[in-house]
Amino acid sequence: MDKTKKAKRYERVFLQLSGLLDKPGNRLSKMATIAAVLHHKMDHFFWTGFYLANKDTLTAGPYQGPVACQTLDKDQGVCWAAVNRGESIIVRDVHRFPGHIACDGRSNSEIVVPLKDGTGSVTAVLDIDSRDFDAFDEIDRHGLESILSLLDK
Ligand code: SME
């Protein structure tokens, strides 16, 4: 998708989700809403969902797309790297990322955005896979980080 079109798409999705997540409610339900809207509005998303962090585990939360791994081995792969670094990670080619966990062999690039609590601890990550190589850039990072901030309102 061209960059201008992508940025505009994120603006529209942000506005839609702002309305849908406006009322106080269950956090998991809000995550499910984010996954559903993003997955169906962004053409380059093949798998869209959350992994929930609990002590030493990352387990699948609300998601859309093909069946995924239910747990991710500690300190392996892109999601754990985002937890450990405490920042978003963009992987242009997952096959070149050491320890990448392939839940579905059709994924070729990935972005992972951590979600933090008030103390800065990572409580979950938003993980998105694409079948395209190099599908994610700073527009995705900014768009997704903005959308996740809606969970704190
Ligand atoms: N590729 C991820 C695992 C989760 S799936 O992409 C849904 C990783 O390396 O952490």
Side-chain angles (χ1 to χ4, degrees):
M1 197 186 308
D2 98 19
K3 287 183 186 295
T4 311
K5 186 175 171 195
K6 193 199 276 192
K8 291 219 173 311
R9 184 80 59 95
Y10 271 112
E11 279 173 28
R12 285 202 299 278
V13 168
F14 180 85
L15 286 176
Q16 182 184 2
L17 281 167
S18 300
L20 289 168
L21 305 180
D22 195 30
K23 299 185 190 68
N26 179 279
R27 197 170 172 83
L28 268 185
S29 307
K30 291 186 173 192
M31 290 174 164
T33 302
I34 289 174
V37 171
L38 281 172
H39 193 74
H40 290 92
K41 289 283 163 71
M42 304 308 274
D43 306 333
H44 55 308
F45 290 12
F46 173 61
W47 190 92
T48 311
F50 291 88
Y51 276 91
L52 310 175
N54 242 317
K55 291 193 178 154
D56 282 347
T57 62
L58 271 183
T59 53
Y63 71 86
Q64 300 265 321
V67 173
C69 315
Q70 290 182 26
T71 61
L72 301 178
D73 288 344
K74 184 160 168 41
D75 296 338
Q76 294 289 308
V78 188
C79 291
W80 270 108
V83 171
N84 292 335
R85 292 183 206 172
E87 61 185 27
S88 302
I89 296 182
I90 293 170
V91 181
R92 299 169 67 169
D93 176 354
V94 295
H95 310 289
R96 297 168 75 98
F97 190 96
H100 167 256
I101 299 168
C103 298
D104 188 302
R106 291 170 290 180
S107 294
N108 285 314
S109 63
E110 180 165 357
I111 183 169
V112 180
V113 181
L115 194 57
K116 297 179 185 173
D117 64 15
T119 69
S121 296
V122 177
T123 55
V125 295
L126 172 61
D127 177 18
I128 298 166
D129 292 2
S130 179
R131 293 178 75 157
D132 302 330
F133 287 96
D134 201 11
F136 304 106
D137 57 22
E138 289 304 313
I139 297 171
D140 295 278
R141 182 204 299 261
H142 174 73
L144 296 170
E145 288 177 355
S146 304
I147 286 166
L148 289 190
S149 74
L150 294 169
L151 286 169
D152 299 325
K153 297 219 160 86

